[in-house]
Amino acid sequence: MRSVRARAALGATVVVACALAAAGLAVLLVLRANLTDQAGLQAEVTAREVAGQLALDVPYDRLDVRDEEDRPVQVTDEDGRVVAVSKNLEAVSGTGTDRVTPVPAASPSPSATEGNGDGDVNRDDSGTGKGDDSARADRDDSGSGDSEDDDDRHGDGGSDDDGPTASAGPGRGEVSTDDPDFVNGTATVDGERADYRFATVEATNGAGVTLTVHAGAPLAAEQRAVASVRGAMLVGLPVVLLVVAGVTWLVTRRALRPVEGIRSELAAITASRDLSRRVPEPASRDEVARLARTTNETLTALEDSVERQRRFVADASHELRSPIASLRTQLEVGAAHPELLDVPGAVADTVRLQALAADLLLLARLDAGERPGTARTDLGALVHEEVSQRTGDRIPVAVSVPEGGGFEVTGSRAQLARVLGNLLDNAERHARGSVAVAVRAERGGVAVEVTDDGDGVPETERERVFARFVRLDDARTRDEGGAGLGLAIARDVAERHGGRLTVADAREGGARFTLWLPGAG
């Protein structure tokens, strides 16, 4: 599991497995619900058909149930007694009563024992036909007939000689219009036990007796369909997961192949320490390609930094070697011939060596990321202070600072003083007869201009002049040019204070160096 490909394949497989499992469960539940509803609808249709027959006072033993083997029916009365069941129904559960043997019951209405509308008459046990008066008398003896004084059932006279029409049974029954109740149960029909969806519908017959019809529809089709789908899912899910895992593995491997190329090339660069080499960049525009480009940019910056550091060390060694060699020569001559010792020259070389060491130390601190600080410094006062301390300049410095102040900036006072000193040194070195410094407010900050009337800086050299250890052709001699670090230090300090240092032509014909720093707002 340390491989990204393995983790990606496993993660994708787990996610797809969870999604498929949830989707499969939802499909099974919806399928089961739909098929169960269909079975319930079939059971409701059968229950209402039987209830309609009961409302029409069809005798229990003459109820017509379609598909009795697939649609078991159980009819119970108000007391929960079973009064009728479908053919071959041997056992049932889930309907509220498990009995399937009807109890002895009378005909559901008087019409079951009276003659029909075609003139048929009731028959006694011996088969002898009776008249209407005899049938009515029999009902009166058994308590099931109507009273003679019932004005609603008989004519105005209520005579015993009225025919069957006068003694007709009660009114037509009705089927409940309420939604049926559904329940799952089992039933044994013709020796086979199965699951059914039962619908319960109530009906009232002509005698006012409320009967409950329980009709079932088989759930075998629903169970077979659900089992088939579940089986297909159980077989197909592992196959799908294997395909997902394999495809994810291959795709991830292909996607990470450039990353492996970048890694191996970086390892080779590290081993060879050859910073000129670059990692391969894919032709795509995806994250890996951007990673390769960023890596190459980092290698380029690292190569430049190393090269700059190498040049810096070489130039610093060269600059340090000259004054040290000169000082050593003078000391050796003085030791051999004391009368020939050039003390002023030795002091000058020592001072130059000390200044060069201070410059190198400041550059090292700047390269290490030393922060300039947040102290407030008035550049106008700082300019006056720096110029007042330059008593040995060959050309006097003209200062122009407006009255009223307001030239405060934030940063290191010592470093800003070093910048002003370096700019003035450069101007003194190249000026013919005038050096000036001016301070003014400019675009939310403070600008300091140092100008001279020398030869100026060629336009093609205006960026190169700020590089370390760079001296232009007219300043190559150490007596006039210095070590070539003053302007480089000035620009580095300006940038670390959030400002900038630029050079342009002065009106006097020389160079104009402009230092801009953000105000201390």
Side-chain angles (χ1 to χ4, degrees):
M1 297 307 297
R2 294 181 180 180
S3 170
V4 175
R5 288 175 293 177
R7 290 197 298 269
L10 179 60
T13 303
V14 171
V15 170
V16 173
C18 293
L20 290 180
L25 180 61
V27 169
L28 290 177
L29 293 177
V30 171
L31 178 62
R32 175 176 294 176
N34 289 339
L35 294 178
T36 301
D37 290 343
Q38 292 181 8
L41 180 61
Q42 297 173 1
E44 180 183 357
V45 171
T46 302
R48 291 193 179 278
E49 288 178 353
V50 175
Q53 298 179 46
L54 293 174
L56 296 175
D57 294 332
V58 175
Y60 300 141
D61 57 351
R62 296 183 183 179
L63 294 175
D64 182 16
V65 181
R66 292 182 297 176
D67 300 330
E68 289 182 317
E69 294 183 356
D70 293 333
R71 309 284 175 83
V73 175
Q74 182 190 57
V75 182
T76 59
D77 59 11
E78 295 173 337
D79 297 329
R81 295 176 300 179
V82 178
V83 298
V85 295
S86 58
K87 183 180 180 181
N88 296 329
L89 180 60
E90 300 174 0
V92 67
S93 65
T95 60
T97 176
D98 297 339
R99 296 185 57 186
V100 294
T101 304
V103 299
S107 177
S109 69
S111 62
T113 57
E114 293 180 352
N116 57 26
D118 295 335
D120 294 339
V121 298
N122 295 332
R123 299 180 181 276
D124 59 9
D125 296 338
S126 62
T128 305
K130 294 183 181 180
D132 290 342
D133 294 339
S134 298
R136 187 178 298 108
D138 290 342
R139 289 195 301 272
D140 291 340
D141 292 341
S142 62
S144 62
D146 298 318
S147 63
E148 295 178 356
D149 56 353
D150 190 349
D151 293 339
D152 294 333
R153 298 302 182 101
H154 300 285
D156 293 338
S159 172
D160 292 341
D161 294 335
D162 292 339
T165 303
S167 61
R172 184 175 182 179
E174 62 179 0
V175 179
S176 174
T177 59
D178 296 337
D179 292 335
D181 296 329
F182 294 98
V183 66
N184 291 340
T186 61
T188 302
V189 179
D190 199 16
E192 296 183 1
R193 187 174 183 273
D195 295 327
Y196 289 85
R197 181 73 168 174
F198 287 98
T200 301
V201 176
E202 291 185 350
T204 304
N205 62 13
V209 178
T210 300
L211 302 171
T212 303
V213 180
H214 304 281
L219 293 174
E222 175 263 338
Q223 294 173 348
R224 287 194 300 269
V226 171
S228 299
V229 174
R230 183 173 57 246
M233 288 182 176
L234 292 177
V235 173
L237 181 61
V239 177
V240 173
L241 294 181
L242 287 176
V243 172
V244 169
V247 171
T248 304
W249 177 276
L250 295 177
V251 171
T252 307
R253 179 182 179 183
R254 181 178 181 84
L256 294 179
R257 187 176 299 166
V259 177
E260 177 61 23
I262 295 173
R263 187 208 63 79
S264 60
E265 184 63 24
L266 281 176
I269 293 173
T270 303
S272 63
R273 298 185 179 182
D274 183 6
L275 295 178
S276 63
R277 299 174 60 175
R278 296 294 180 265
V279 300
E281 294 187 14
S284 60
R285 298 181 179 180
D286 54 8
E287 293 81 357
V288 177
R290 291 196 292 270
L291 173 63
R293 286 192 291 272
T294 303
T295 302
N296 285 335
E297 292 172 359
T298 303
L299 289 173
T300 301
L302 183 60
E303 183 183 14
D304 294 341
S305 176
V306 171
E307 182 62 26
R308 185 169 58 252
Q309 190 71 18
R310 185 182 296 112
R311 289 198 306 268
F312 177 80
V313 172
D315 292 339
S317 301
H318 178 74
E319 294 295 334
L320 289 172
R321 182 178 60 181
S322 296
I324 291 175
S326 176
L327 182 60
R328 178 182 176 181
T329 300
Q330 296 181 42
L331 292 176
E332 289 178 348
V333 170
H337 306 282
E339 69 280 3
L340 299 179
L341 178 61
D342 185 8
V343 176
V347 172
D349 287 339
T350 303
V351 171
R352 183 165 175 264
L353 184 61
Q354 181 182 6
L356 181 58
D359 289 343
L360 294 176
L361 180 60
L362 179 57
L363 285 175
R365 292 204 306 267
L366 293 176
D367 290 341
E370 179 181 3
R371 295 186 177 277
T374 58
R376 288 175 175 264
T377 301
D378 190 324
L379 283 184
L382 184 61
V383 168
H384 281 295
E385 180 180 345
E386 285 296 315
V387 172
S388 65
Q389 295 177 358
R390 301 178 66 89
T391 58
D393 290 341
R394 65 183 183 89
I395 300 175
V397 179
V399 179
S400 174
V401 179
E403 297 292 336
F407 304 112
E408 287 188 342
V409 296
T410 58
S412 172
R413 183 181 180 87
Q415 292 183 5
L416 294 177
R418 185 66 176 275
V419 172
L420 291 174
N422 288 351
L423 293 178
L424 291 173
D425 289 342
N426 182 75
E428 289 283 345
R429 186 177 300 114
H430 297 282
R432 292 190 178 94
S434 67
V435 175
V437 56
V439 180
R440 69 176 185 274
E442 181 180 291
R443 292 178 292 180
V446 181
V448 178
E449 285 188 355
V450 178
T451 59
D452 62 70
D453 60 351
D455 295 332
V457 179
E459 186 174 355
T460 57
E461 302 288 345
R462 288 178 182 174
E463 283 301 318
R464 179 172 171 268
V465 74
F466 292 106
R468 298 176 182 182
F469 299 104
V470 171
R471 291 186 296 268
L472 300 184
D473 292 339
D474 61 345
R476 290 301 296 176
T477 62
R478 290 181 175 82
D479 292 339
E480 297 179 356
L485 293 177
L487 294 180
I489 292 175
R491 169 166 278 191
D492 284 349
V493 172
E495 291 178 349
R496 279 165 175 74
H497 281 74
R500 60 182 178 271
L501 178 62
T502 58
V503 61
D505 291 332
R507 290 190 299 271
E508 296 81 359
R512 183 179 77 247
F513 287 85
T514 302
L515 170 67
W516 182 89
L517 297 173

